[in-house]
Amino acid sequence: MLVRRNSNDEARGMLIDFDHSIAISNTDEPVHAERTGTLQFMSISNLEKSELKPTALDDWESMLYILCWVGTFGWNSKTRPDNTDNSRVPKQLDRWHQGTLEEIAKAKRTDLDSSNDFQNIISEFNPRLKNVDLLFDLVEKLRDVLIDEHPDNLRGALKKLGRQVNTETGMHEFVILSDPFEERAAKWKGLSESLLMVLEDSAQQARKRLRK
């Protein structure tokens, strides 16, 4: 997505890279035949080279990362953090683009896992950004729908681990019992509708704010 500002200082977003798009109903496309994207905004499934078929939830997840990035670093030089104040230099999002793909995916899982963990991200939002409170509210609600508003077995972002006995060694070892992202992928249509409602409600609130 690119952002352009009109002559009246109104910002407009433009979607790009449609040469990489596919019809979401096309199930014949190979799964992750090619991985492209910016590390900070890539979905966890994409980073982990999952065999899951991509769904709209991957796009919603990426949008959440983009909004967090804008909230932290602003739209332009006028809204960037004051780097002369070391206490205000954002550090939390460094983990979204530093290290291996596996390390970045693990960092994102940790940051999304609970609302308390997610507070570490939004606590670094730039107070110089106009109407940043609306962005606070939007990203929290998007994360809640994407991660938390499910039965217990689908909540969170971390893989659920358990112990079992290795029949060859007789030793206990940890194994992955379930992955919330994998479980939620099957419910992508309903979740996408709920996420869209959150986005539309936020847009309505923003329009009301701008009219004042």
Side-chain angles (χ1 to χ4, degrees):
M1 182 176 72
L2 293 180
V3 176
R4 295 185 61 183
R5 194 168 293 277
N6 299 332
S7 57
N8 61 358
D9 207 36
E10 180 183 29
R12 291 284 184 177
M14 298 192 305
L15 296 178
I16 61 173
D17 290 340
F18 283 99
D19 53 318
H20 293 290
S21 66
I22 62 172
I24 201 167
S25 59
N26 189 347
T27 59
D28 296 327
E29 289 288 334
V31 178
H32 295 298
E34 180 183 359
R35 286 173 176 79
T36 60
T38 305
L39 291 176
Q40 295 93 314
F41 313 134
M42 289 172 67
S43 70
I44 290 170
S45 179
N46 200 6
L47 287 167
E48 293 180 340
K49 302 181 180 180
S50 169
E51 293 302 317
L52 285 174
K53 290 184 180 296
T55 71
L57 296 186
D58 290 283
D59 296 321
W60 281 105
E61 185 186 338
S62 291
M63 190 182 76
L64 177 60
Y65 299 143
I66 292 171
L67 292 174
C68 288
W69 195 268
V70 170
T72 302
F73 297 106
W75 288 107
N76 51 38
S77 59
K78 295 180 181 179
T79 55
R80 286 176 189 154
D82 181 6
N83 290 336
T84 61
D85 181 0
N86 287 331
S87 66
R88 287 295 311 161
V89 176
K91 300 179 177 64
Q92 196 68 26
L93 294 188
D94 286 347
R95 305 189 311 156
W96 288 9
H97 64 97
Q98 295 180 359
T100 65
L101 296 183
E102 291 77 13
E103 289 169 340
I104 294 171
K106 183 176 180 180
K108 289 183 176 181
R109 281 185 181 271
T110 301
D111 291 335
L112 293 180
D113 189 56
S114 72
S115 57
N116 288 336
D117 292 320
F118 194 59
Q119 289 298 318
N120 295 327
I121 299 296
I122 62 177
S123 67
E124 292 191 339
F125 274 21
N126 186 358
R128 296 172 62 191
L129 197 62
K130 189 176 181 180
N131 296 315
V132 71
D133 59 305
L134 294 177
L135 192 56
F136 275 132
D137 186 62
L138 173 59
V139 297
E140 284 186 315
K141 288 181 177 178
L142 288 175
R143 185 219 152 264
D144 286 347
V145 174
L146 188 63
I147 302 297
D148 274 351
E149 293 185 3
H150 313 280
D152 288 342
N153 63 315
L154 298 185
R155 289 179 183 170
L158 297 176
K159 294 178 180 179
K160 306 300 188 287
L161 302 178
R163 296 176 65 184
Q164 71 177 19
V165 177
N166 187 310
T167 56
E168 295 183 359
T169 65
M171 302 289 291
H172 283 86
E173 58 186 19
F174 285 102
V175 296
I176 298 173
L177 298 179
S178 65
D179 182 348
F181 282 92
E182 181 177 345
E183 301 291 337
R184 288 191 292 263
K187 303 178 181 294
W188 71 265
K189 288 186 178 180
L191 287 174
S192 294
E193 291 174 358
S194 297
L195 289 162
L196 183 58
M197 290 175 62
V198 169
L199 190 61
E200 290 174 341
D201 180 67
S202 178
Q204 184 177 8
Q205 294 301 318
R207 285 191 290 267
K208 288 181 180 179
R209 179 77 61 88
L210 291 173
R211 294 191 191 106
K212 292 181 179 180

